[in-house]
Amino acid sequence: MAIDDLLDEHEQSERVRGWLRKNGVSIIAGVAIAIGGITGWQWWQKQQGNELANANVQYQAVLKQLQDKKLDEAAKGVKALEGGKSSLYADLAAMQLAKAQVDAGQNDAALATLRAISAEPEFKAAVDQRIARLLIAGGKSDEAIKQLGAASDSASLEIHGDALMAAGKRDEARGQYEKALKTLDVAAPQRRLLEIKVMDAGGTVTDPAESA
């Protein structure tokens, strides 16, 4: 090996040592941050898992209380779930509580329970529909229609029709029922009931096969 090559290697090694002396601390810090980030992520995942597990336990406890007709205790359990990070369990528990309250003849309490739900998007329509049904049962058809807003799914349109029928607006109700029928799958189990509502409102039902 030539002297020049040795000098080049020596120079290169010195440069590497110098770069390490200069940047070694930041490299070690970077590695530490990376490791810390991984550890932190694993800790966060574990925490989330623990919270979900606890929320599930609380949710099951609420269901047991509802089964035992202990509505006051179940209501407290729902409140406890609302304070956690698992809004899904809180929404489900509140909806189950509202159903039990309706079954117990506590419609006003059920309405308050449903209105307190900060529903996730996938649950909002179901919550609005239940509120609307309770409003109709309480003779508040106009409020029920406002609660449904511009919802255009079959269930919401049907409930809108129910509200109009309750208000004595038969022709308008028929229009809502017919819209609902058009958006409903031919094989849907609730289709027959909706057809009956259309006919009760003065409409006629066409066989889907004929209109195809």
Side-chain angles (χ1 to χ4, degrees):
M1 182 179 291
I3 295 296
D4 289 342
D5 292 334
L6 288 173
L7 288 174
D8 287 342
E9 286 187 10
H10 177 73
E11 183 180 358
Q12 288 171 9
S13 64
E14 284 300 314
R15 286 179 180 177
V16 169
R17 290 192 188 95
W19 186 86
L20 285 172
R21 283 193 295 270
K22 182 179 179 180
N23 299 288
V25 174
S26 60
I27 292 172
I28 293 170
V31 171
I33 291 171
I35 294 172
I38 294 169
T39 304
W41 171 249
Q42 291 173 337
W43 175 86
W44 184 84
Q45 285 186 311
K46 183 178 179 181
Q47 286 294 108
Q48 292 296 306
N50 289 341
E51 287 184 12
L52 285 174
N54 291 335
N56 182 56
V57 170
Q58 287 180 295
Y59 175 68
Q60 295 300 327
V62 169
L63 294 185
K64 180 65 168 61
Q65 289 159 352
L66 292 174
Q67 185 179 352
D68 295 339
K69 311 297 183 185
K70 298 177 180 178
L71 302 192
D72 291 339
E73 290 184 24
K76 292 177 183 177
V78 170
K79 285 290 183 185
L81 279 167
E82 287 173 358
K85 293 185 178 181
S86 179
S87 57
L88 175 62
Y89 281 113
D91 291 351
L92 289 172
M95 291 174 77
Q96 291 292 335
L97 172 61
K99 182 180 183 301
Q101 289 169 328
V102 170
D103 292 341
Q106 302 175 11
N107 284 14
D108 289 341
L111 197 55
T113 297
L114 290 170
R115 281 178 163 163
I117 297 176
S118 299
E120 294 291 319
E122 59 268 27
F123 282 109
K124 189 178 187 309
V127 172
D128 286 343
Q129 288 164 11
R130 294 192 184 193
I131 290 173
R133 288 190 186 280
L134 285 172
L135 289 170
I136 294 169
K140 300 177 180 178
S141 297
D142 290 342
E143 286 186 36
I145 292 170
K146 288 180 182 177
Q147 183 70 40
L148 294 168
S152 58
D153 60 284
S154 178
S156 295
L157 290 170
E158 181 182 353
I159 297 168
H160 192 160
D162 292 344
L164 289 167
M165 279 291 280
K169 300 177 180 179
R170 195 163 175 255
D171 292 340
E172 293 179 44
R174 182 173 65 250
Q176 292 299 315
Y177 289 146
E178 288 173 343
K179 286 180 184 177
L181 201 57
K182 287 178 182 177
T183 63
L184 195 62
D185 188 86
V186 175
Q190 65 269 39
R191 187 177 182 86
R192 183 54 186 160
L193 176 59
L194 190 50
E195 288 175 342
I196 292 171
K197 289 185 178 183
V198 170
M199 290 186 287
D200 284 346
T204 56
V205 176
T206 305
D207 189 323
E210 293 178 7
S211 60

